[in-house]
Amino acid sequence: MSTKTKSHVTRKIYSLAEVARHNTSSSTLVTYSGKVYDLTPFLADHPGGDDIILEYAGKDIGAAMSDESQHVHSRAAYEMMDEFQVGELGGGEKIVSEDWVPDENFHPDETDLLSDYNMNKFIDLNKPLLMQVWNAPWTKEYYLSQVHEPRHLKESARMFGSNLLEPFTRTKFWVVPLVWWPIAAFLAVLSIEQFTNPAITAGNLLQFPPPISSLPTPTSGALAAWFGCFSAGIFIWTLLEYTLHRFLFHVDYYLPDAPWAITLHFLLHGVHHYLPMDRLRLVMPPLLFFVLETPFTKLAHVVFPKAMANGIISGAFFMYVMYDLGHYALHHTRLPAYLAEQKRYHLAHHYKNFELGFGVTSKVWDYVFGTMLVTTTK
């Protein structure tokens, strides 16, 4: 292995915990003066034997390098180490901790951007975020260790450098009901009419002027059937909320260690854990929700008759809006006693343990599936 070859390798940022796991003869990482070295290919060639290196595998070798009683290292030995450098150490003070005490009146201090970047070698919050993530020198493990450590800004950080694209990443909370509640209402009316007359289509209701006089009068049976489907949609949404949050947004362990996967993770949910108090990224942009909901609404129309499908979707869309509004409130609103407890619970997901507490509107599914997060301290 030559120094020339090594200079063309992208050097990554590692955490101490990540280095510590590479402590075998098949993968031997060590640290020295803030740099990370892969000594695996050097084990057989080490003049003092591989056992000395393996004793420090996954650890810092500073003490060993300076201990002349154990092994004297020449200047050439120090220079040769450059050939084996694979990255640098990153990571500073941790915010997420089991010792964090949930408080519904929590108001975090603003992050010192320069100090944070110099210490963690992660994202420069003074610059657009997305391309930094795409071009980043981090390992997946280092990315996950950092993106779950919250930072706090007074203003929203830019996702794109382009003024044309940036607005699509920011959403005020009132946009969600403005877009999706009228759609939910339309689907509710369509479902009721279809329970009354199965021949009714969406096109019948979209005529201008609205053909109200020509539509059949809904029967009590049609209203009851719609309400049953609407209620089922609310129930289904609560399960979807939990499932998507746990198995899609927190797919951390199974995330491929590739720029496209890390960038997608950051866009979907990573940015929310990284900047949890960003008021313009607490609710889902309409375009993103459209992408996520489309497979499920199509599935509903495959599984159920159209009247039932539209009724279920109307309930799910209604509850989705309540979820997004509730999520915003959990981060930025003073709430009554019961909701204040749910706020503490959700903030604990961000600041205490992000691997538990996936329910946002309710703890029910956390209880059912064993992912309850204990917010009290002993």
Side-chain angles (χ1 to χ4, degrees):
M1 183 182 301
S2 68
T3 306
K4 182 178 180 180
T5 301
K6 203 69 178 178
S7 67
H8 288 81
V9 177
T10 300
R11 290 175 174 173
K12 295 184 176 293
I13 308 297
Y14 292 82
S15 66
L16 276 172
E18 187 174 3
V19 172
R21 280 189 280 275
H22 294 264
N23 59 356
T24 67
S25 59
S26 60
S27 180
T28 309
L29 295 187
V30 298
T31 64
Y32 180 69
S33 296
K35 298 178 181 178
V36 180
Y37 300 88
D38 183 357
L39 299 184
T40 311
F42 183 62
L43 291 175
D45 299 326
H46 185 236
D50 63 358
D51 56 324
I52 295 179
I53 295 179
L54 291 173
E55 182 181 346
Y56 290 90
K59 305 174 184 177
D60 187 81
I61 61 172
M65 292 294 288
S66 60
D67 186 0
E68 295 186 1
S69 65
Q70 185 175 55
H71 189 66
V72 178
H73 292 91
S74 65
R75 179 177 178 180
Y78 286 92
E79 292 175 350
M80 189 172 62
M81 286 181 64
D82 290 340
E83 298 182 27
F84 301 99
Q85 186 186 349
V86 292
E88 298 178 25
L89 279 178
E93 182 181 359
K94 297 294 183 182
I95 297 175
V96 174
S97 168
E98 288 289 347
D99 297 327
W100 188 81
V101 179
D103 179 3
E104 66 270 25
N105 299 314
F106 175 62
H107 296 290
D109 295 329
E110 187 175 4
T111 299
D112 183 327
L113 302 188
L114 181 60
S115 174
D116 176 67
Y117 182 70
N118 289 337
M119 181 181 298
N120 294 294
K121 303 180 179 69
F122 191 53
I123 293 175
D124 185 349
L125 287 165
N126 288 305
K127 300 177 182 178
L129 308 183
L130 197 63
M131 291 310 295
Q132 291 187 72
V133 177
W134 179 262
N135 294 317
W138 323 306
T139 61
K140 179 191 84 170
E141 187 166 345
Y142 187 72
Y143 161 77
L144 291 172
S145 73
Q146 285 294 314
V147 83
H148 289 299
E149 290 292 329
R151 275 72 163 179
H152 307 100
L153 304 178
K154 289 183 179 179
E155 304 294 335
S156 290
R158 288 189 69 91
M159 188 71 75
F160 291 99
S162 167
N163 290 329
L164 182 64
L165 295 174
E166 183 64 18
F168 290 99
T169 73
R170 304 181 182 206
T171 309
K172 292 185 180 293
F173 74 90
W174 49 262
V175 170
V176 175
L178 190 67
V179 171
W180 295 106
W181 267 349
I183 295 174
F186 174 82
L187 292 173
V189 172
L190 179 60
S191 174
I192 294 168
E193 293 296 340
Q194 288 173 332
F195 274 118
T196 304
N197 178 4
I200 295 293
T201 66
N204 296 130
L205 298 185
L206 291 173
Q207 295 177 21
F208 188 83
I212 297 176
S213 59
S214 63
L215 294 175
T217 302
T219 63
S220 58
L223 289 171
W226 164 76
F227 186 74
C229 293
F230 181 84
S231 301
I234 290 176
F235 174 82
I236 290 170
W237 168 258
T238 65
L239 183 57
L240 276 177
E241 171 201 317
Y242 175 89
T243 303
L244 290 173
H245 190 186
R246 180 179 178 183
F247 296 108
L248 177 62
F249 296 159
H250 282 271
V251 67
D252 302 359
Y253 179 79
Y254 298 101
L255 188 70
D257 194 354
W260 67 265
I262 291 174
T263 302
L264 184 60
H265 180 279
F266 187 75
L267 279 172
L268 281 176
H269 198 59
V271 66
H272 175 52
H273 272 263
Y274 187 55
L275 299 168
M277 294 299 178
D278 187 334
R279 292 176 180 270
L280 297 181
R281 294 197 174 95
L282 281 170
V283 299
M284 206 173 294
L287 181 60
L288 178 57
F289 182 68
F290 173 77
V291 171
L292 291 176
E293 61 84 9
T294 296
F296 295 102
T297 54
K298 288 187 177 297
L299 178 63
H301 280 284
V302 170
V303 174
F304 301 105
K306 57 185 179 181
M308 290 182 65
N310 287 323
I312 291 170
I313 296 168
S314 70
F317 280 11
F318 170 82
M319 193 59 192
Y320 156 68
V321 175
M322 295 301 295
Y323 152 81
D324 245 355
L325 293 179
H327 185 215
Y328 184 90
L330 292 179
H331 282 263
H332 283 293
T333 307
R334 289 185 71 89
L335 298 168
Y338 164 73
L339 293 177
E341 167 55 28
Q342 189 63 26
K343 179 175 183 175
R344 288 190 292 271
Y345 187 74
H346 182 63
L347 289 177
H349 170 71
H350 282 277
Y351 293 91
K352 188 178 179 73
N353 189 339
F354 55 83
E355 295 179 326
L356 295 172
F358 299 104
V360 175
T361 54
S362 169
K363 305 176 187 177
V364 170
W365 295 116
D366 279 316
Y367 179 79
V368 171
F369 293 113
T371 54
M372 280 289 291
L373 176 55
V374 179
T375 58
T376 57
T377 56
K378 294 181 181 181

